[in-house]
Structures are given as C-alpha cells and as structure tokens.
Amino acid sequence: MREVKVIGVGMTKFSKFLDIGIEELGREACWKAIKDADVHPQDVEVAYCGHVYQGSCVGQRILVELGMTGIPITNVENACSSGSAALRDAYIAVASGLYDVAMAIGVEKLYGRVQGALAPDKEDLEGDLGLIMPALYAIRARRHMYIYGTTPEQLAKISVKNHRNGCLNPNAQYQKEVTVEEVLNSRMIADPLHLLDCCPIGDGAAAAILCSASVANKYTLKGITLAASTLKTGTVDTGFSDADICTEDLTQRAAAEAYEKAGIGPEDVDLAEVHDCFTIAEILRIENLGLCKPGEGGRMIDEGRTEIGGDLPVNASGGLLAKGHPLGATGIAQVAEIIWHLRGEAGERQVKGSKVGLAHCRGGAVAGTEGATCTVQILKK
Amino acid sequence: MKNKEKSNEKVQGVPFRKGYFTLGEDPCLIGTKCKLCNTIFFPPRVICIRCYKEDVMGKIKLSRKGKLCSYSIVWQNIPRYKSPYVVAYVDLPEGVRVFTHLTDCDPSDLKIGMDVEMVIDFLRKDEDGNDLIGYKFRPVLQGI
C-alpha cells in the first residue's frame, strides 16, 4: 500500500442555512479544498461523498456544479461516520495504487429534515421502542456516574470547554461561551443530559483532496500524511449482560488498528478531534481511545488537560457540541481541523508544535450492538 | 409513568413484534437458545451468530425478573412516544440484556441494580390508530 497525503481541505461554516441548498454547500467546500490543494479539478480521478439524509446521487449533484462528473463517484452512508467512511474509501483508492488523486466530500442538511432528535431507523428494534441518540448516551452517562462517580458538573465542563473553543473557530455553528450553570439549567433532554450537553442540528459541508505521496509535491508542499484510516462496526455485545456499556469495544478496535498502522501509541497523539455528540461521549472516547484510563475522563476535564493549552487538547475546533454536527460533514471537518493545526494554520486555537493528530467518529445505532460504525484517522506531519 | 396497577391480562392491543413475548397473566420474553453453544439470545435469532449455523436455535422462555443495568428519563418530544418516558437496559439471568421501557415507577426511586419484572403494557399507536402493546419492566414490589 502506498503512502497517502492529504493535500487540500475545505469546509463551509456550520450553521442552520434556511436558504442554502446542499449542492451549494458541497460546491463551496469542494472548491475550497481544490484551491487549497492547488489541483486542477480534472486531476481528481475518483470521488466519494458521505451523507445520511440528502437523497439519491448527492455526490453527483454537487460535482456537476464543478464540472467534475464523468469520474467514478460513490455515495457513502454510515450514519455520523459517513464523511470519515468516504475519506477512508478515498484513502484506499489511492493507497491501493488504483488512483493518484481522490476527493472525499462530506455534506449534510439537517435543519428542517430532523424533528425532535436523531434516532436509529424505526425498523430497528430499539428505534421502534423510542430510543433516541440522547437517551442512548444518557443511559451510558448514568452508568459512568454509577461506576466512576463522574458528575453532571464534569459533563457540563466539557460543554463549556468546547463552546469556548468554538469562539476561536470562525466555522463553528456556535461562537458564544456558556457557563457550567447555564449547561445544568438548560432544558433536560434525556436525564442526565441537558440541551447544552447535546450537539445541535445544523448544516454544512467539508472536503479533502488526497493523493499519492509520490505525486503530492507536484501540487503542494503542504501535504500531511494520512498514516491510518480505519473503520469498524459494532458486534452483538450490548445484547449480553456481561458487556460493560461504558466500554466502547468499537472505538478500541478501530483505534488499535489505527495506532498499529501509524506506528504510534496514544501517548504520541498531540491533539484529538473526537466524536463529542454529547458531553459524556467525549469522556467515553478519550478513555476508550486509550488517551486516558477508564474512569479518568472526568478528572481530565477538571484538571484542564484537554484544553487547547493542556497536554492533550481535545476538540480544539469546538467539537460537535459547538462547531456543530452536520452528519456527513463531520468526519472530514475533523480531519480538516487537524490538518490546519499540523500545518500551523489554526489561528487563535493553534495547538503549538503539533505533529500527530487523531480524528475519531462514531455513528449510528443497531439494536444489540454498541454502535454501528467507528472510524479513526491518524495524521502525521 | 406511574400507572394504576393493572393485570397483564387486561391490556389489549396488537403485539408490536410477533414472537418476542408471551401474553397472559405471567408474560415473559421469548428468546432463542443455540443447541450447540447454549448461548441465549434476545430478541429471537434465526442464525446462531456464535456458531454461524442455522437450524440450531430453539425457543426459550426467559425469566420475568431481572436487574436494572441503567436508565434514562426521556423528556425530548418525539413523534411516536409521549414524553416523559423511561428507557432502560435490563439484565436477565440468562445473560441477555434487554432494551425496554420502565413503567409503574417514580423515577426518583430508580436505582441501578434494583430488581425489575416484566409486564405487558400499551406501547404506542400504529399508523392506523391501533393500540400496540409490548413488554416493559417495573420495579419489583417490595414486601410481596
């Protein structure tokens, strides 16, 4: 397998866009990535478009705006990991030697499409029984509190941190700080998770250009190596009572393969963008990615270790909580964020001297499993 | 969430899934047990996903009582269920973990690890307005 570099990234602001359609959002992100990579649109040989709810052939509907149809385009759905799964497909396309230059797009318009809360498909047993994603995580939050003594205040501090980081990110949906009191007083969604413990509904797009390291310098010297891109799916374990619902086997497996492929361990990660769809999710992820020990997630936020200035910055972008979570766009936006830090282009939220970044996405729910999908990308300067 | 105590036999409606639970006064969940590896699954399975074989599953009635693994009170309004409602994982002695609703309880009395028992209850209406019934769990009444 060949070495693959990410040579260009781009994203739109994430927000609720009443009057901007998905094709326009996608076009904006793709054009930014193409300009960033300094490629000609006709150099892109294959494209993958991650999304969940945007309907048939959305990748083609976007790329026709750029004169980039004609090439193989595949649309990818993997719940909240759709964008990162599309990125992985682009990675495989190049690493395998089949193509030199590939594009990954991630797009979503949720505003006006999703009412109430995201939930599994209603044919899924748990979806049929009224499981909504906030409740799935709330159940785990309560268990985490029971086993480790994690508190609602510690969860709230994660929302505070990520909202503060969002203020430094011009693309973030929310650029306003919140306090612990405001989080704890916000409307209860699924006990113990309040509104400000949950990521918002929103729209947006992101794109990345990948190419073989052997030709990257033809376009730009800013290429960053995509050292690993893994995808795993959940096995039937929540169906059994001996499973620990705070152990994310899915995340652990995706991470283990990524660390091995990249030749690093969790201690080598300089910054991480993890799937903080809910505050408890950030704790579960840093524990299960091996970035801290099980049960230590609460202490990490108490001690400020996951702040931008801390020893393990997590979600410098504002995370899903403040940057937003247009489902298909998220995985690629996380990678864009890490690329900016590794290049030294992250502005006021720059994690200084960062050389290794990790992006983690976790998506979907399938009854009896602890989750549908998980992706881990590792980028190295 | 706190309903009047009512007999399981009095709950009328269409089971929301066929073959997942029995009706009557002492209802229980129906799982499947693999004859080869003895693993018990709920909901019922056709293929044993440990042995990767078909034609090895037999139906098994599961225990009515279990332990509360964790829960959450859902306040968000969603189209098909009336909030607030309580969702939970319940662990049964056969080694299965069931996603379910809790009923007949005051949420402030709920404790992880408490004993709960299965009941049949109204779940929601289907698209044609028929009552759908399903399994829920409630705290085991103490002192009885």
Side-chain angles (χ1 to χ4, degrees), chain A residues 115-117 122-132 135-136 138-140 142-143 146 187-192 236-245, chain B residues 16-17 20 39-41 43 45 49-50 69-78 80-81 85 87-89 91-92 95-97 99 101 112 123-124 127 135:
Chain A
Q115 272 183 325
K122 56 183 167 57
E123 299 295 320
D124 177 87
L125 177 62
E126 290 175 353
D128 201 4
L129 283 170
L131 177 68
I132 56 174
L136 186 152
I139 286 174
R140 281 152 177 82
R142 183 161 297 289
R143 186 82 192 175
Y146 172 78
R187 175 166 70 91
M188 189 67 85
I189 301 295
D191 181 85
V236 180
D237 41 23
T238 55
F240 298 107
S241 55
D242 57 357
D244 170 12
I245 60 174
Chain B
F16 87 109
R17 293 272 164 130
Y20 280 26
T39 307
I40 297 175
F41 300 96
R45 287 188 173 273
I49 55 167
R50 294 276 191 264
C69 165
S70 187
Y71 63 95
S72 174
I73 304 139
V74 181
W75 291 93
Q76 174 68 44
N77 286 320
I78 66 163
R80 292 198 294 164
Y81 288 88
Y85 58 97
V87 291
Y89 284 129
D91 291 343
L92 298 182
V96 299
R97 176 166 288 155
F99 176 75
H101 287 218
I112 288 178
L123 205 54
R124 59 179 169 79
E127 277 127 13
Y135 48 90

Side-chain angles (χ1 to χ4, degrees), chain B residues 5 64-67 103-105 110 114-118 137-144:
Chain B
E5 299 292 336
R64 296 198 58 236
K65 290 192 178 144
K67 292 219 179 275
T103 187
D104 290 348
C105 61
L110 294 174
M114 74 190 305
D115 292 325
V116 291
E117 63 182 358
M118 184 205 157
F137 282 76
R138 69 175 176 212
V140 170
L141 299 170
Q142 297 305 314
I144 289 176

Side-chain angles (χ1 to χ4, degrees), chain A residues 137-159:
Chain A
Y137 282 90
I139 286 174
R140 281 152 177 82
R142 183 161 297 289
R143 186 82 192 175
H144 204 272
M145 291 169 168
Y146 172 78
I147 298 175
Y148 299 115
T150 304
T151 63
E153 289 74 19
Q154 286 170 326
L155 298 186
K157 284 180 185 177
I158 290 175
S159 183

Side-chain angles (χ1 to χ4, degrees), chain A residues 44-349:
Chain A
V44 175
E45 299 166 282
V46 66
Y48 298 89
C49 182
H51 75 101
V52 184
Y53 294 116
Q54 305 312 307
S56 182
C57 298
V58 67
Q60 287 87 337
R61 285 188 271 127
I62 289 167
L63 290 180
V64 81
E65 301 281 320
L66 291 153
M68 289 173 73
T69 48
I71 58 169
I73 298 170
T74 300
N75 297 292
V76 177
E77 186 274 311
N78 250 346
C80 307
S81 308
S82 298
S84 43
L87 188 84
R88 177 176 171 277
D89 283 347
Y91 164 78
I92 291 172
V94 175
S96 64
L98 277 173
Y99 301 98
D100 279 342
V101 184
M103 181 155 76
I105 316 164
V107 299
E108 205 75 49
K109 273 189 76 68
L110 285 182
Y111 186 49
R113 270 180 200 256
V114 172
Q115 272 183 325
L118 290 170
D121 190 275
K122 56 183 167 57
E123 299 295 320
D124 177 87
L125 177 62
E126 290 175 353
D128 201 4
L129 283 170
L131 177 68
I132 56 174
M133 296 312 278
L136 186 152
Y137 282 90
I139 286 174
R140 281 152 177 82
R142 183 161 297 289
R143 186 82 192 175
H144 204 272
M145 291 169 168
Y146 172 78
I147 298 175
Y148 299 115
T150 304
T151 63
E153 289 74 19
Q154 286 170 326
L155 298 186
K157 284 180 185 177
I158 290 175
S159 183
V160 169
K161 166 178 76 75
N162 291 354
H163 278 87
R164 190 183 322 116
N165 292 348
C167 293
L168 304 174
N169 184 353
N171 289 321
Q173 182 163 344
Y174 292 114
Q175 294 178 19
K176 184 170 172 300
E177 293 202 36
V178 300
T179 64
V180 167
E181 289 70 34
E182 281 170 338
V183 177
L184 295 177
N185 289 331
S186 60
R187 175 166 70 91
M188 189 67 85
I189 301 295
D191 181 85
L193 297 178
H194 304 81
L195 180 66
L196 288 173
D197 284 300
C198 307
C199 65
I201 300 288
D203 312 331
I209 308 283
L210 283 64
C211 79
S212 168
S214 58
V215 303
N217 289 358
K218 193 168 110 176
Y219 301 108
T220 174
L221 297 176
K222 296 196 298 181
I224 299 285
T225 301
L226 181 55
S229 182
T230 62
L231 168 67
K232 298 288 180 194
T233 56
T235 51
V236 180
D237 41 23
T238 55
F240 298 107
S241 55
D242 57 357
D244 170 12
I245 60 174
C246 296
T247 296
E248 293 197 332
D249 174 66
L250 192 45
T251 293
Q252 291 183 7
R253 283 186 286 119
E257 187 182 300
Y259 289 136
E260 203 207 318
K261 182 85 191 0
I264 64 161
E267 64 282 357
D268 299 312
V269 173
D270 294 321
L271 79 157
E273 290 283 309
V274 310
H275 202 80
D276 58 326
C277 39
F278 304 93
T279 48
I280 181 64
E282 182 170 306
I283 286 185
L284 290 170
R285 268 92 221 226
I286 60 174
E287 292 178 359
N288 284 278
L289 288 165
L291 298 172
C292 71
K293 293 197 180 65
E296 268 193 4
R299 197 158 64 80
M300 293 286 283
I301 188 72
D302 278 343
E303 293 176 1
R305 294 178 60 191
T306 49
E307 298 278 357
I308 287 173
D311 58 273
L312 178 63
V314 175
N315 291 329
S317 63
L320 278 57
L321 286 167
K323 167 167 49 78
H325 183 32
L327 309 184
T330 281
I332 301 185
Q334 289 177 328
V335 167
E337 178 73 10
I338 293 193
I339 297 276
W340 287 322
H341 287 267
L342 297 187
R343 284 185 194 165
E345 293 175 2
E348 287 181 275
R349 61 191 192 282

Side-chain angles (χ1 to χ4, degrees), chain B residues 36-56:
Chain B
L36 296 180
C37 68
N38 292 323
T39 307
I40 297 175
F41 300 96
F42 181 82
R45 287 188 173 273
V46 171
I47 294 171
C48 175
I49 55 167
R50 294 276 191 264
C51 303
Y52 294 99
K53 287 194 178 334
E54 54 185 335
D55 297 328
V56 291

